Amino acid sequence: MRVFDFTHAIAREPGRSVVDGLRDNPANTPTYEGVLAQHRAYIAALREAGVTVDLLPPLEAFPDSVFVEDPALTFPQGAILMRPGAPSRVGEREDMRRVLHRHFDTVLELEDHEHADGGDILVTPHTVFIGLSKRTTRIGAEALAAHLSTLGRESRIVEAPQGVLHLKTASSLLSEDTVLAMEQMIPGSIFAGFKILTPPAGEEAAANSLRINDVIFVGDCYPGTIKLLEKNGFNVRPLPVDEVAKLDAGFSCMSLRW
Ligand code: CIR
């Protein structure tokens, strides 16, 4: 199953408050103009790849709301309203609920104490990996697994690696049987059965790439990874991401796709 064939996406323009977004290193402050420009390039690339994008207006009250991947999960069969693990992000659910009901007949929801971020969910052809992290709790992961089963998806709860925000900070799906993953994910890998490519030293953050139909979005600041993917026959679309990365974010987090 090609789980990276998409016709639709939801994205949200960054607000000016994006400069106050959560980040591990408080000194890493992006500019609004920088994030906006990189977001626009990303939306243009999604559209060029054949995806119809519902571009939502900014939510100034929620600095991280441009990262629409975290409060929801979308599949052709239906959507799941997640419950982000960061207290400042839980309120993003309200507007997202309304948006999901506009696009889907079936919308399942995580309850009060069930925390999970979309960034911890890696969809592969046979398994949806749910990463336990600072944002995704076991209770949240188990509730999510039950919802995924309702939507016909098998899932597996795994540990996201230490030191990264989300499971998908450290890994992404390149094809039905290939992943791009940080070196630290390889020992005792959850990806047994997959071919694993590893970004070269110094380009670890390139592991958050994004396959959209026949192209792979990769940061234009990662020449070694671009070369590696091209050598392996992938059609790479380099895009600017350094301002967005200051907020511990990458390509997958800026859209919901189905
Ligand atoms: C946060 O800490 O929630 C945001 N600054 C970054 C979210 C990145 N989300 C993602 O990769 N799915």
Side-chain angles (χ1 to χ4, degrees):
M1 195 197 329
R2 282 179 43 122
V3 289
F4 38 74
D5 285 341
F6 303 115
T7 52
H8 290 83
I10 293 167
R12 183 183 298 285
E13 269 199 37
R16 290 196 165 268
S17 63
V18 73
V19 298
D20 299 320
L22 296 171
R23 53 201 183 271
D24 205 34
N25 178 357
N28 261 350
T29 304
T31 64
Y32 163 67
E33 290 75 14
V35 174
L36 182 63
Q38 296 190 348
H39 191 262
R40 286 191 173 154
Y42 174 80
I43 299 299
L46 281 176
R47 288 179 169 148
E48 255 172 59
V51 178
T52 300
V53 182
D54 180 4
L55 185 56
L56 309 173
L59 284 183
E60 289 293 351
F62 297 99
D64 285 296
S65 56
V66 59
F67 305 122
V68 285
E69 175 176 71
D70 294 316
L73 251 189
T74 52
F75 297 94
Q77 298 81 1
I80 302 173
L81 186 66
M82 306 285 268
R83 182 171 293 274
S88 67
R89 301 201 57 189
V90 181
E92 293 174 28
R93 281 164 52 93
E94 298 318 311
D95 194 67
M96 186 54 77
R97 177 184 289 114
R98 184 185 61 78
V99 173
L100 293 178
H101 280 286
R102 210 163 65 207
H103 287 281
F104 296 93
D105 291 336
T106 303
V107 179
L108 307 171
E109 295 198 17
L110 292 185
E111 302 298 332
D112 265 358
H113 50 292
E114 299 165 350
H115 290 282
D117 275 17
D120 279 315
I121 314 308
L122 179 67
V123 179
T124 71
H126 301 293
T127 309
V128 177
F129 291 101
I130 306 174
L132 299 174
S133 70
K134 285 198 188 115
R135 302 281 178 90
T136 298
T137 60
R138 183 161 290 277
I139 291 176
E142 282 169 1
L144 181 60
H147 288 330
L148 285 167
S149 165
T150 304
L151 295 179
R153 303 279 168 153
E154 274 187 32
S155 61
R156 195 173 136 202
I157 299 173
V158 300
E159 295 283 343
Q162 295 290 317
V164 298
L165 178 59
H166 288 129
L167 179 64
K168 272 189 298 197
T169 312
S171 56
S172 44
L173 186 74
L174 295 177
S175 72
E176 287 95 326
D177 61 359
T178 311
V179 292
L180 180 64
M182 284 185 187
E183 191 115 11
Q184 66 202 94
M185 292 207 66
I186 296 176
S189 180
I190 62 170
F191 297 125
F194 285 89
K195 177 174 174 189
I196 306 176
L197 299 181
T198 308
E203 295 191 9
E204 288 76 9
N208 183 267
S209 70
L210 182 62
R211 171 98 189 228
I212 299 281
N213 300 331
D214 290 324
V215 292
I216 296 178
F217 296 178
V218 181
D220 61 3
C221 45
Y222 305 122
T225 308
I226 293 172
K227 214 190 253 173
L228 172 75
L229 298 193
E230 286 178 341
K231 208 178 84 195
N232 279 273
F234 292 106
N235 181 10
V236 178
R237 176 76 159 87
L239 284 170
V241 76
D242 53 327
E243 281 299 291
V244 169
K246 289 178 181 168
L247 297 167
D248 307 332
F251 293 118
S252 68
C253 51
M254 293 189 284
S255 62
L256 287 162
R257 309 153 291 272
W258 70 95

